[in-house]
């Protein structure tokens, strides 16, 4: 079927199974968005724990900070392709399968959440300490400071960080696809690489690029919209 | 009433202990505007942060209307904090909130229902003269306007005490005056006790009833602003007072050393007048009584304090030393403060 070689092989559009391409695209989008939501939630929680336990005195805080910091550093340093394989038994237990987009979710979240958590921690540290003190002097609780100051005052940074993280998640979904998680990564690996269908590779690349551009555009828009520091 | 009793605060640093506040005793009456003046690092901010429980004293008691603030924690401390409003040098507004939402923030924290919050915030915005800017963000306001928002926010919970921590230090002289006027107004209208921390003697002279001068953690001098201005005892106080007298707007900005250099002859003498003497023709009297002396006026300034006018006049006396001393004696008899700045 795909016996054309050379540069022409990129443009054999009649060799593309468009409905397979469509469903692979949806799988990629679905995996990315679902894991993004989980990564943002877990990342903010972990980032908050790191931030709040950082400069507190008391053994409890120090131990929590050390343990969470260590876990974050470990999972942040494992190359993703290895992490998927490492977490296969975990995926099997959690979602009951090691094949398909669902199976990729645990490893996607475990790899990106620590990455985002570190960013979140640094965004919180950049919030003006004078403002935090002002709100404390109004009688706010720690929770009050988190909800009224830390989160709203770092919102544009949180969104910008989430955008960057989402884009790297798109990359991870493609890698996950290669070992059976579905999506465009899977399609390009099986059709484009193993069956030498370069057109599928090209179309897959273009779709992934468009997806990245859209995510970046939407992210930038939200940052601009929420940032009231310069008008 | 606020009372600091034997309050000290030590920090341990890598190079050993650091005493930020050293055995401070101050009493501040209700409704008073009390100034705390000192150079940076004198311990002023640390001292007032203890009122809010943002710092705990190492030793001593901080008593606000019968409550020892240093012993409070948890929700009792948070409740106490709501009775104290605070404004800051860098305003510390939330950029993510509009003017009205910034002003309403302390009310949100105090769990006041929304309709009441909005109503109170609108009142306060009106009080500080920012009608029409309710829905602006802080980044759209000037420094003076931001500080007005800060003041409105500080007043939201109807505090009994307002702490102004270098609140005018980042503002230009005109805006500083506007903000000080506003503080005076709310002091009178709401019978609010105000603690004004500053390194600008001008702000003290303009607003305060009493002043404490701090130097390396200690209160070295305190009393009514009028007294402290008229008879400064400590060197650091003299520096502050003379800074204020020599750096008037539009006036000569020469320092004492420059004055001495420029007028090396005879004696340079600073006269300080207050209240009734300012209206008597004392200088022309001296000139008539001591015709052998050459007296020239170098600079002068008048200050309005809360207790009346204070004037200072720098004169150069040239002539016989004994005559000059006689003239000084005469001035003292007329209850004019004299200070020899330079003696040939």
């Amino acid at each position: 079927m795909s016996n054309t070689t050379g540069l022409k092989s990129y443009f054999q559009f009649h060799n593309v199974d468009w409905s397979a391409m469509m469903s692979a695209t949806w799988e990629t989008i679905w995996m990315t968005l679902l894991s993004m939501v989980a990564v943002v939630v877990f990342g903010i929680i972990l980032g908050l724990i790191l931030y709040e336990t950082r400069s507190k005195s008391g053994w409890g805080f120090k131990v929590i900070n050390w343990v969470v910091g260590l876990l974050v550093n470990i999972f942040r340093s494992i190359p993703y392709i290895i992490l998927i394989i490492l977490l296969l038994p975990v995926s099997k237990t959690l979602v009951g399968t090691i094949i398909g987009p669902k199976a990729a979710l645990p490893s996607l979240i475990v790899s990106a959440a620590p990455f985002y958590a570190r960013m979140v921690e640094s965004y919180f540290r950049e919030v003006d300490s004078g403002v935090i003190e002002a709100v404390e002097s109004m009688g706010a609780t720690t929770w009050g400071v988190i909800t009224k100051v830390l989160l709203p005052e770092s919102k544009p940074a949180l969104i910008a960080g989430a955008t960057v993280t989402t884009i790297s998640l798109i990359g991870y979904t493609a890698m996950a696809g290669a070992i059976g998680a579905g999506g465009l990564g899977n399609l390009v690996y099986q059709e484009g690489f193993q069956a030498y269908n370069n057109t599928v590779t090209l179309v897959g690349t273009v779709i992934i690029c468009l997806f990245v551009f859209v995510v970046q555009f939407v992210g930038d828009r939200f940052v601009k919209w929420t940032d009231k520091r310069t008008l | 009433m606020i009372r600091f009793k034997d309050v000290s605060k030590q920090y341990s640093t890598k190079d050993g202990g650091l005493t930020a506040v050293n055995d401070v005793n101050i009493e501040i009456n209700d409704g008073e505007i009390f100034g705390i003046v000192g150079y940076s690092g004198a311990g002023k901010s640390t001292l007032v942060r203890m009122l809010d429980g943002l710092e705990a004293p190492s030793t001593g008691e901080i008593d606000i209307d019968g409550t020892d603030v240093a012993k409070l924690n948890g929700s009792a401390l948070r409740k106490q904090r709501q009775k104290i409003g605070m404004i800051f040098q860098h305003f510390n507004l939330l950029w993510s909130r509009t003017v009205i939402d910034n002003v309403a923030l302390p009310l949100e924290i105090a769990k006041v229902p929304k309709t009441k919050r909005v109503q109170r915030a609108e009142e306060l915005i009106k009080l500080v003269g920012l009608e029409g800017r309710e829905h602006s963000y802080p980044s759209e306001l000037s420094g003076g306007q931001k500080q007005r928002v800060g003041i409105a926010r500080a007043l939201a919970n109807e505090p009994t005490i307002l702490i102004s921590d270098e609140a005018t230090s980042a503002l230009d002289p005109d805006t500083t005056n506007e903000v000080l006027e506003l503080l005076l107004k709310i002091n009178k209208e709401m019978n609010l006790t105000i603690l004004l921390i500053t390194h600008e003697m001008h702000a003290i002279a303009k607003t305060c009833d009493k002043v404490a001068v701090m130097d390396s953690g200690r209160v070295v001098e305190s009393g009514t602003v009028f007294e402290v201005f008229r008879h400064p005892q400590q060197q650091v106080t003299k520096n502050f007072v003379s800074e204020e007298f020599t750096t008037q707007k539009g006036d000569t900005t020469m320092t004492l050393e420059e004055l001495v250099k420029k007028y090396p002859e005879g004696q340079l003498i600073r006269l300080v007048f207050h209240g009734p003497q300012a209206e008597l023709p004392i200088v022309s009297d001296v000139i008539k009584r001591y015709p052998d002396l050459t007296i020239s006026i170098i600079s002068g300034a008048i200050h309005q304090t809360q207790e009346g006018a204070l004037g200072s006049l720098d004169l150069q006396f040239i002539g016989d030393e004994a005559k000059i001393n006689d003239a000084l004696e005469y001035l003292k008899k007329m209850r004019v403060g004299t200070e020899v700045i330079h003696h040939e």
Side-chain angles (χ1 to χ4, degrees):
Chain A
M1 185 166 85
S2 38
N3 41 18
T4 322
T5 53
L7 287 178
K8 269 190 187 154
S9 66
Y10 284 121
F11 306 104
Q12 307 300 311
F13 292 110
H14 58 274
N15 285 340
V16 176
D17 178 350
W18 291 104
S19 81
M21 188 63 80
M22 259 312 239
S23 66
T25 303
W26 280 121
E27 275 172 2
T28 294
I29 293 174
W30 185 83
M31 262 194 287
T32 307
L33 294 185
L34 210 65
S35 54
M36 180 197 86
V37 171
V39 163
V40 167
V41 171
F42 287 120
I44 289 178
I45 291 170
L46 289 173
L48 261 179
I49 293 172
L50 287 171
Y51 172 83
E52 288 293 338
T53 56
R54 190 180 149 79
S55 50
K56 293 256 168 72
S57 51
W59 278 108
F61 290 122
K62 285 203 163 60
V63 169
I64 294 171
N65 188 276
W66 187 80
V67 171
V68 174
L70 185 72
L71 286 175
V72 162
N73 286 348
I74 289 173
F75 284 104
R76 219 168 43 140
S77 33
I78 303 174
Y80 182 64
I81 193 83
I82 294 175
L83 187 74
I84 313 171
I85 298 163
L86 182 74
L87 290 186
L88 282 179
V90 178
S91 300
K92 176 95 185 153
T93 320
L94 282 179
V95 293
T97 174
I98 58 165
I99 302 290
K102 253 207 221 156
L105 287 178
S107 64
L108 284 172
I109 295 163
V110 167
S111 91
F115 177 70
Y116 189 52
R118 279 289 180 207
M119 286 199 239
V120 169
E121 187 201 4
S122 75
Y123 301 149
F124 287 163
R125 267 192 273 146
E126 272 162 37
V127 172
D128 189 344
S129 59
V131 175
I132 294 175
E133 197 176 285
V135 175
E136 278 175 351
S137 81
M138 292 170 197
T141 56
T142 306
W143 182 245
V145 171
I146 291 170
T147 53
K148 309 274 185 210
V149 187
L150 285 179
L151 291 173
E153 295 275 299
S154 58
K155 207 193 279 169
L158 290 173
I159 294 170
T163 308
V164 173
T165 309
T166 306
I167 288 169
S168 57
L169 272 174
I170 296 172
Y172 291 169
T173 62
M175 262 190 265
I179 63 157
L184 287 167
N186 187 42
L187 186 73
V188 168
Y189 182 73
Q190 288 188 343
E191 281 291 307
F193 178 65
Q194 289 182 324
Y196 307 107
N197 190 340
N198 287 338
T199 311
V200 167
T201 309
L202 181 73
V203 171
T205 308
V206 170
I207 294 173
I208 289 269
C209 284
L210 283 176
F211 188 27
V212 169
F213 294 158
V214 167
V215 168
Q216 186 70 58
F217 178 80
V218 171
D220 287 348
R221 266 300 145 105
F222 271 111
V223 170
K224 222 175 154 191
W225 186 50
T226 50
D227 197 344
K228 308 290 184 191
R229 277 170 290 197
T230 48
L231 293 160
Chain B
M1 177 144 114
I2 305 169
R3 215 170 63 211
F4 290 90
K5 202 170 160 237
D6 307 325
V7 173
S8 294
K9 173 79 185 180
Q10 278 101 21
Y11 292 103
S12 50
T13 64
K14 275 182 201 143
D15 315 320
L18 175 89
T19 306
V21 172
N22 197 346
D23 198 22
V24 166
N25 286 284
I26 300 179
E27 278 188 17
I28 301 163
N29 295 317
D30 290 344
E32 224 167 45
I33 304 190
F34 193 98
I36 298 179
V37 70
Y39 293 114
S40 37
K44 314 175 296 262
S45 287
T46 313
L47 188 70
V48 292
R49 284 160 55 90
M50 291 183 200
L51 274 181
D52 232 352
L54 290 170
E55 303 266 0
S58 305
T59 53
E61 265 175 48
I62 296 152
D63 189 297
I64 301 179
D65 298 327
T67 314
D68 185 358
V69 187
K71 291 209 174 68
L72 296 176
N73 49 38
S75 69
L77 177 62
R78 288 194 292 273
K79 266 253 133 15
Q80 174 64 35
R81 283 176 174 172
Q82 291 176 5
K83 294 184 203 156
I84 302 175
M86 214 164 169
I87 53 175
F88 307 87
Q89 179 173 7
H90 299 296
F91 324 121
N92 293 352
L93 302 175
L94 280 78
W95 59 256
S96 57
R97 285 176 170 241
T98 58
V99 168
I100 193 162
D101 288 342
N102 263 293
V103 175
L105 178 58
L107 301 165
E108 278 176 40
I109 289 166
K111 303 213 161 54
V112 174
K114 175 139 198 221
T115 46
K116 253 193 163 159
R117 281 200 311 251
V118 173
Q119 192 195 343
R120 173 91 183 123
E122 275 168 355
E123 273 169 37
L124 287 161
I125 289 167
K126 212 166 151 193
L127 175 79
V128 299
L130 282 177
E131 300 107 310
R133 305 307 304 265
E134 290 89 342
H135 301 291
S136 303
Y137 284 93
S139 57
E140 298 168 291
L141 303 178
S142 69
Q145 288 173 322
K146 283 182 200 164
Q147 198 56 286
R148 284 165 188 273
V149 179
I151 291 170
R153 182 177 74 171
L155 298 175
N157 272 324
E158 301 182 28
T160 52
I161 301 166
L162 178 69
I163 298 172
S164 160
D165 191 355
E166 297 277 10
T168 58
S169 303
L171 303 174
D172 63 64
D174 288 339
T175 318
T176 296
N177 281 335
E178 280 171 28
V179 168
L180 292 174
E181 301 271 345
L182 179 60
L183 289 180
L184 274 173
K185 178 178 138 187
I186 56 181
N187 164 259
K188 296 218 164 70
E189 281 178 14
M190 305 171 130
N191 193 35
L192 199 68
T193 310
I194 299 182
L195 251 87
L196 195 89
I197 300 169
T198 182
H199 62 268
E200 299 165 313
M201 209 55 185
H202 166 72
I204 301 274
K206 196 173 160 67
T207 50
C208 296
D209 305 302
K210 287 193 195 147
V211 62
V213 183
M214 284 190 78
D215 190 26
S216 23
R218 288 180 181 278
V219 171
V220 291
E221 195 163 348
S222 67
T224 67
V225 171
F226 203 61
E227 274 307 311
V228 170
F229 256 74
R230 213 161 43 136
H231 299 298
Q233 306 294 320
Q234 302 290 327
Q235 192 52 47
V236 55
T237 318
K238 285 181 185 161
N239 290 348
F240 272 115
V241 170
S242 82
E243 230 168 68
E244 172 59 4
F245 276 148
T246 41
T247 57
Q248 274 291 292
K249 250 181 299 167
D251 195 351
T252 165
T253 52
M254 275 193 285
T255 63
L256 288 179
E257 290 83 46
E258 286 169 324
L259 273 179
V260 171
K261 222 184 234 170
K262 196 157 176 208
Y263 303 97
E265 277 181 283
Q267 294 192 25
L268 279 185
I269 288 161
R270 171 166 295 168
L271 307 183
V272 180
F273 303 89
H274 60 97
Q277 300 124 357
E279 287 155 30
L280 296 174
I282 290 174
V283 175
S284 76
D285 260 9
V286 173
I287 292 169
K288 274 184 219 152
R289 270 169 184 263
Y290 304 94
D292 305 342
L293 293 178
T294 312
I295 299 175
S296 36
I297 297 174
I298 294 166
S299 71
I302 294 208
H303 290 268
Q304 300 300 330
T305 73
Q306 288 299 300
E307 272 181 70
L310 260 182
S312 82
L313 202 55
D314 293 347
L315 301 177
Q316 183 187 31
F317 286 68
I318 300 173
D320 186 36
E321 171 121 23
K323 286 269 167 56
I324 295 178
N325 288 339
D326 283 352
L328 291 181
E329 275 309 310
Y330 173 72
L331 285 166
K332 274 182 196 146
K333 223 164 63 197
M334 299 302 288
R335 300 180 61 82
V336 173
T338 58
E339 186 194 343
V340 180
I341 299 171
H342 174 65
H343 192 283
E344 195 181 12

